[in-house]
Amino acid sequence: MATESSSHNLTRTKTALVTGASSGIGYAVVKELAHHGFTVYACARREEVLRDLAAQFPKGNVIPYALDITNITEIVQLKEYLATHLPQQCLDVLYNNAGQSCCLPAVDLTDEILTRLFRVNVIGHMDMTTQLAQLVINAKGTILFTGSLAGLTMFPFGASYAATKAAIHQYARVLHGEMKIFDVRVINAVTGGVDTEIADKGALPRTSLFHFKEGLVAFEERKRMVEKSQPMSADKYAHELVADILSSRDPLDVYRGSWATVVSWLMLLAPYWLVEWILFKKFKLDSLHAAVRRRARGNKQD
């Protein structure tokens, strides 16, 4: 009987679930997994985009599923749906990729912004993992997260986004150790520059401490960070990440996207004061600092 079961497992079509699948990295990873023979559940809020994605493949290869990961009720409903559709209750890949960016000075963040950001970038992924973990365990599969260089270093005007990514990095580290007991791999993709639409295009609030000439220049420089860093295409990123999924390695952290490896080594080897000095120069914070000092001196003279 055991032999028959093992043989059946070998012929089972592998399955994957990708959140944030309507654009960017998620969209590209869905395509790459489907090209490798996976049946992929593509999840996002914009179901019409998912249907267009599914239409690029033979029927049943990519299955669109409307999902808001900030809604625990919808996640539980997804779990119930998968329980009736997955072969042998097995999910080989759970890719927690959905995300939201935020580019604002740390002291300009509102409770509403913070709550939404952590629900999308952290709590939603934790809820997905909790609800679907048994399906991945059944498959002895892989759980992945889209981490970020922002979770490792000091990118100005990105404190909230950085905090969410640092939280995911640490969550993945602990989960890696716990899931190893069940022969499940956990991969945290520490992501550098990738050509996607995630960048925050919002304006600096007029009430901001940084709303003056040099502050606005620095803020705009920060918003153009990815486009000026020769970002990797989402398709190339997906190709490399799916290779990580298909490999037998268990690395925890993989570094994907432009500058990912360089910055990770810089953070490991350089003292923090040097890292901060480099980033001050890159994002024109030194000019901003000088302007603030000039204003302070002018106020004293008055």
Side-chain angles (χ1 to χ4, degrees), residues 91-273:
L91 181 63
D92 296 280
V93 175
L94 169 59
Y95 183 21
N96 291 298
N97 166 70
Q100 180 177 315
S101 184
C102 180
C103 184
L104 278 175
V107 294
D108 289 329
L109 296 163
T110 66
D111 182 71
E112 181 181 1
I113 290 171
L114 289 169
T115 300
R116 175 66 184 173
L117 201 64
F118 272 84
R119 285 220 63 86
V120 175
N121 291 358
V122 182
I123 298 171
H125 301 319
M126 292 179 175
D127 285 340
M128 287 287 292
T129 301
T130 298
Q131 294 299 321
L132 304 185
Q134 187 60 57
L135 298 173
V136 184
I137 291 170
N138 294 345
K140 297 187 184 301
T142 303
I143 301 171
L144 300 98
F145 301 90
T146 301
S148 173
L149 289 179
L152 301 180
T153 191
M154 190 283 288
F155 292 141
F157 308 130
S160 56
Y161 180 74
T164 64
K165 291 304 180 180
I168 281 297
H169 291 187
Q170 192 59 26
Y171 177 73
R173 290 186 184 106
V174 176
L175 186 69
H176 182 273
E178 294 176 351
M179 288 295 99
K180 184 178 289 190
I181 297 167
F182 302 100
D183 296 320
V184 169
R185 295 188 307 160
V186 174
I187 296 175
N188 177 43
V190 182
T191 303
V194 181
D195 189 10
T196 70
E197 299 175 359
I198 193 174
D200 186 356
K201 297 179 174 61
L204 187 67
R206 288 191 170 275
T207 55
S208 173
L209 293 173
F210 297 89
H211 200 282
F212 55 93
K213 179 182 175 182
E214 292 82 2
L216 290 167
V217 169
F219 184 72
E220 290 303 316
E221 185 72 16
R222 168 62 176 85
K223 286 169 63 176
R224 295 196 300 271
M225 177 179 71
V226 172
E227 68 182 69
K228 294 178 69 173
S229 66
Q230 299 179 315
M232 177 183 287
S233 72
D235 287 341
K236 183 177 180 183
Y237 181 99
H239 178 76
E240 293 185 358
L241 189 62
V242 171
D244 295 322
I245 293 170
L246 297 176
S247 77
S248 59
R249 299 183 305 112
D250 185 21
L252 175 55
D253 290 331
V254 297
Y255 298 88
R256 300 289 175 252
S258 64
W259 295 96
T261 302
V262 173
V263 173
S264 66
W265 277 106
L266 179 66
M267 293 304 300
L268 181 65
L269 299 174
Y272 189 76
W273 67 263

